[in-house]
């Protein structure tokens, strides 16, 4: 018997249906939630991500604006667009798709987004709120991972969670959210000498590295929950995660849980972006 699947598509569908109702209530009150997405350049993967985000907004009745600019857009021009959206009352959330062309300072752009519209949760203010346990907008991917873990029914209090990866957008906020849920958290990264030493003792493993087969069957404990954030291509060019999925699923046994790629973290990331946009719109009085 293999581990049970944590179905990110099904969870997303349920959550988005509820979000649609919240959006309709706000719209009826004259406050239709609005998200602006800015894409600079022609990176094909980024173009797909922003299209999916805008489509998800439209499906749930949110107002959405997609602004596409050539890769030659200057930093000053981008900052001016963000400033205009900061002042636009129809827009409650602003997302600038990363990565930006090299001549633009991403940090400066992120910091230029009004705090209350930072639906990606990447600003220093949002990161600080998470760190301090204060209310705020949480980064969508780790926030979605928390919902996926919650959906298994696991109570994280006192559990040992291992996060592999320490990026500012996934690994670090993931560790903080798990800590907030009273897990004992270990964060591993490229300088961790023996990953398996940590993961074999873990009740929950979140893998956010960007390298296939980072988590293998001999690295997990039966009954654990595994969340695979990675997005890679296998030898056939198909989307795959950071986990050796079939072997790890087998090793986790019937008491274990695992997210698939695709159909796990990806759809939840978009769903939590909508959650954040609604939260931002509801907070506006
Ligand atoms: P990132 O900024 O490149 O960070 C990768 C992390 O993995 C770093 O902290 C790095 O450690 C660590 N790492 C690299 N090699 C390692 C190894 N051999 N053992 C242990 N740790 C190792 O990537 P990211 O933005 O966090 O994204 C991670 C993955 O998630 C990517 O595949 C990305 O495409 C995917 N992703 C998916 C979604 C989604 O919605 N599904 C959203 C965001 C990201 P150091 O810090 O020491 O370098």
């Amino acid at each position: 018997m293999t581990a049970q699947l944590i179905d990110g598509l099904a969870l997303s569908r349920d959550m988005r249906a509820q979000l649609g109702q919240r959006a309709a209530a706000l719209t009826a009150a004259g406050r239709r939630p609005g998200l602006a997405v800015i894409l600079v350049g022609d990176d094909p993967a980024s173009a797909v991500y922003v299209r999916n985000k805008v489509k998800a907004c439209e499906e749930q009745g949110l107002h959405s604006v997609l602004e596409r600019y050539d890769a030659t857009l200057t930093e000053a021009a981008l900052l001016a667009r963000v400033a205009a959206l900061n002042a636009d009352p129809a827009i409650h959330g602003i997302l600038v798709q990363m990565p930006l062309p090299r001549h633009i300072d991403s940090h400066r752009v992120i910091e230029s987004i009004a705090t209350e519209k930072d639906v990606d949760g990447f600003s220093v203010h949002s990161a600080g709120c998470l760190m301090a346990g204060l209310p705020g907008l949480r980064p969508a991917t780790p926030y979605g991972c928390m919902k996926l873990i919650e959906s298994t029914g696991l109570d994280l209090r006192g559990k040992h969670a291992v996060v592999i990866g320490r990026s500012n957008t996934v690994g670090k906020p993931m560790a903080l959210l798990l800590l907030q849920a009273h897990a004992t958290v270990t964060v591993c990264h490229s300088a961790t000498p023996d990953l398996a030493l940590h993961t074999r003792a873990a009740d929950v493993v979140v893998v956010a590295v960007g390298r296939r087969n980072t988590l293998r069957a001999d690295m997990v404990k039966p009954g654990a929950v595994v969340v695979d954030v990675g997005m890679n291509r296998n030898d056939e060019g198909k989307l795959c995660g950071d986990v050796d999925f079939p072997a790890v699923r087998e090793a986790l046994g019937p008491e274990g849980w695992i997210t698939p790629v695709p159909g796990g973290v990806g759809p939840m990331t978009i769903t939590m972006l909508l959650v954040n946009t609604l939260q931002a719109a509801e907070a506006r009085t």
Side-chain angles (χ1 to χ4, degrees):
M1 285 275 282
T2 59
Q4 301 170 74
L5 271 191
I6 311 177
D7 187 344
L9 279 173
L11 183 58
S12 279
R13 244 192 325 270
D14 291 351
M15 288 187 69
R16 288 186 200 184
Q18 289 171 20
L19 291 171
Q21 290 174 9
R22 273 167 68 190
L26 278 169
T27 303
R31 286 189 293 151
R32 188 178 183 203
L35 174 72
V37 180
I38 299 181
L39 175 63
V40 185
D42 50 13
D43 176 56
S46 294
V48 172
Y49 299 152
V50 298
R51 253 204 320 274
N52 289 341
K53 288 167 185 173
V54 168
K55 185 165 163 266
C57 277
E58 284 165 358
E59 284 170 357
Q60 302 312 327
L62 279 74
H63 167 58
S64 66
V65 178
L66 171 57
E67 298 193 6
R68 293 189 71 150
Y69 297 102
D70 194 82
T72 56
L73 184 78
T74 64
E75 183 179 298
L78 178 55
L79 291 172
R81 275 314 302 150
V82 172
L85 292 166
N86 281 341
D88 185 342
I91 296 299
H92 304 92
I94 302 170
L95 182 154
V96 180
Q97 184 66 39
M98 299 292 151
L100 287 168
R102 289 161 68 97
H103 65 276
I104 298 178
D105 181 342
S106 308
H107 176 70
R108 193 173 294 150
V109 173
I110 291 167
E111 290 306 308
S112 74
I113 297 171
T115 300
E116 66 279 10
K117 298 191 181 189
D118 174 32
V119 285
D120 248 345
F122 291 169
S123 69
V124 171
H125 177 89
S126 297
C129 287
L130 173 58
M131 170 83 192
L134 296 170
L137 295 161
R138 306 307 190 212
T141 299
Y143 196 7
C145 292
M146 289 302 286
K147 295 290 173 193
L148 289 163
I149 297 167
E150 271 171 32
S151 76
T152 69
L154 179 77
D155 178 4
L156 280 165
R157 176 178 288 272
K159 298 294 189 300
H160 182 198
V162 171
V163 180
I164 314 179
R166 57 171 166 181
S167 68
N168 288 338
T169 49
V170 187
K172 281 185 205 160
M174 186 73 236
L176 288 167
L177 287 168
L178 288 162
L179 202 56
Q180 224 166 60
H182 310 292
T184 301
V185 183
T186 302
V187 183
C188 301
H189 45 78
S190 66
T192 303
D194 186 354
L195 274 185
L197 177 77
H198 305 282
T199 56
R200 271 194 214 114
D203 303 300
V204 175
V205 186
V206 180
V207 198
V209 170
R211 198 191 63 168
R212 284 159 60 188
N213 298 330
T214 297
L215 191 75
R216 299 177 302 277
D218 61 345
M219 297 170 73
V220 293
K221 165 171 100 171
V225 176
V226 170
V227 177
D228 189 352
V229 183
M231 282 200 303
N232 313 294
R233 295 276 163 193
N234 65 16
D235 293 336
E236 290 83 49
K238 285 198 178 141
L239 191 65
C240 69
D242 288 347
V243 176
D244 179 2
F245 181 81
V248 170
R249 188 177 184 191
E250 186 74 40
L252 291 170
E255 303 298 317
W257 292 86
I258 186 166
T259 61
V261 178
V265 175
M268 283 304 290
T269 293
I270 297 182
T271 299
M272 301 322 287
L273 174 67
L274 301 191
V275 167
N276 281 348
T277 305
L278 274 161
Q279 186 183 316
E282 285 168 348
R284 178 91 63 80
T285 48

